[in-house]
Amino acid sequence: MRKACLLSITIVLSASAHPGETLDRIVATVDRHAITRSDVEQEARFSHLADGKLGEVTLQDEIAALGRLVDRDLVADQVLVFATLEVSKKELDARLMEMRSQIPGGESDSGWHRLLEENGLTEEDVESRVRQEIQTLRFIDLRFRSEVRVGPRSVQTYYDTKFVPDLKKRNLTPPPLEKVQDQIEEILREERVNALISDWLKTMRNQSRIQTFDPSLPLTGFERKTPDISDLHFLPLHITGPAEAAKQ
């Protein structure tokens, strides 16, 4: 019955379109929410822009985009519960400028507008997407990061078993623990946050009804690897590893 209803929606869209007009269609559903082909294409173009990629968006880009959209739909209701504060214009503008500074050619207004045009995006598209990222990062802070505690024993163990050996392999002199303790705590915190998100996403996937209707866009990523925060494709968290921490 559900599939027949979705089919009828597609038929209605087809009947109302003008001749020669590209039709949108539902490619997947997450519980009661539909993901359309245009959603996938826009997400893939945004990823291309944010990653500073050149060339056309590929089918693999779109498959990865669908996986991210499914995961974001799974957390959407939770985001509304945990991250109800409105994103201010100042906060949004600051995040946009940070994003633009990381994209070659995005620093200047003329370069930024050219990149938007090349990727088929508007400023409103990008602002909406970045606002969503800010709200979801708040959700992660409230739901997961607040639960994580990193003790001195864990820091010492990481320093002795991973940090120091990694630097010695690179012929670098390890700094004293007290100089890199904060960086190690952040690394361990993000590792534990990723583990919590991974378990939570797997539970959400198992409890949800996820269907796909386009064979060219399989959700292969679900079987191929364990989900973590990167699957939601937020702008990267800045985690300092051993080599970088040693320079500070």
Side-chain angles (χ1 to χ4, degrees):
M1 181 71 181
R2 182 188 187 94
K3 198 167 184 178
C5 179
L6 291 172
L7 180 60
S8 68
I9 293 173
T10 304
I11 292 172
V12 169
L13 287 173
S14 301
S16 61
H18 297 292
E21 184 178 334
T22 301
L23 302 178
D24 203 358
R25 65 184 185 278
I26 295 170
V27 296
T29 56
V30 181
D31 293 325
R32 296 183 178 182
H33 184 263
I35 298 174
T36 66
R37 182 75 197 193
S38 63
D39 293 332
V40 172
E41 291 170 354
Q42 185 180 82
E43 170 63 22
R45 291 196 303 269
F46 178 85
S47 175
H48 237 236
L49 173 69
D51 292 341
K53 291 182 179 178
L54 302 175
E56 297 294 326
V57 170
T58 67
L59 179 60
Q60 290 304 312
D61 292 331
E62 293 183 346
I63 291 172
L66 176 59
R68 292 193 298 271
L69 288 171
V70 168
D71 278 344
R72 282 208 298 275
D73 275 353
L74 291 175
V75 306
D77 290 340
Q78 296 295 316
V79 170
L80 292 175
V81 171
F82 281 87
T84 56
L85 294 177
E86 190 69 25
V87 177
S88 68
K89 187 176 186 307
K90 181 178 180 180
E91 187 177 13
L92 178 61
D93 288 345
R95 194 69 186 95
L96 283 167
M97 290 306 297
E98 180 182 358
M99 173 184 173
R100 287 174 54 177
S101 70
Q102 297 170 0
I103 301 173
E107 300 89 342
S108 68
D109 289 341
S110 59
W112 177 242
H113 292 145
R114 176 181 55 79
L115 288 169
L116 290 177
E117 185 176 353
E118 289 176 354
N119 287 279
L121 296 167
T122 66
E123 291 191 69
E124 290 74 19
D125 293 334
V126 175
E127 287 178 1
S128 175
R129 182 68 167 71
V130 172
R131 182 180 289 107
Q132 184 185 46
E133 291 180 351
I134 293 172
Q135 291 176 328
T136 309
L137 286 171
R138 286 179 181 170
F139 160 71
I140 290 170
D141 282 338
L142 292 168
R143 176 65 176 80
F144 299 105
R145 194 166 283 110
S146 62
E147 298 179 8
V148 172
R149 299 290 181 271
V150 178
R153 182 177 296 179
S154 298
V155 173
Q156 183 71 58
T157 299
Y158 184 91
Y159 179 81
D160 293 335
T161 62
K162 294 186 71 175
F163 191 92
V164 171
D166 181 73
L167 293 183
K168 286 184 175 179
K169 286 179 183 178
R170 303 182 190 190
N171 295 318
L172 298 173
T173 302
L177 174 59
E178 59 267 21
K179 287 190 174 295
V180 293
Q181 182 170 341
D182 291 344
Q183 287 86 354
I184 291 176
E185 287 181 359
E186 184 64 16
I187 291 169
L188 293 174
R189 187 174 295 109
E190 295 308 325
E191 287 180 351
R192 294 180 186 182
V193 168
N194 279 340
L196 288 172
I197 291 174
S198 172
D199 291 341
W200 184 77
L201 273 177
K202 285 189 288 186
T203 299
M204 292 290 288
R205 288 171 175 177
N206 291 335
Q207 292 176 348
S208 301
R209 181 174 174 80
I210 301 170
Q211 294 179 288
T212 59
F213 306 100
D214 187 339
S216 71
L217 295 173
L219 287 174
T220 54
F222 281 29
E223 292 78 34
R224 191 170 61 245
K225 65 184 179 65
T226 300
D228 62 31
I229 189 173
S230 64
D231 291 329
L232 305 179
H233 200 267
F234 302 112
L235 298 176
L237 297 176
H238 302 293
I239 302 175
T240 303
E244 289 76 15
K247 299 174 185 176
Q248 298 186 13

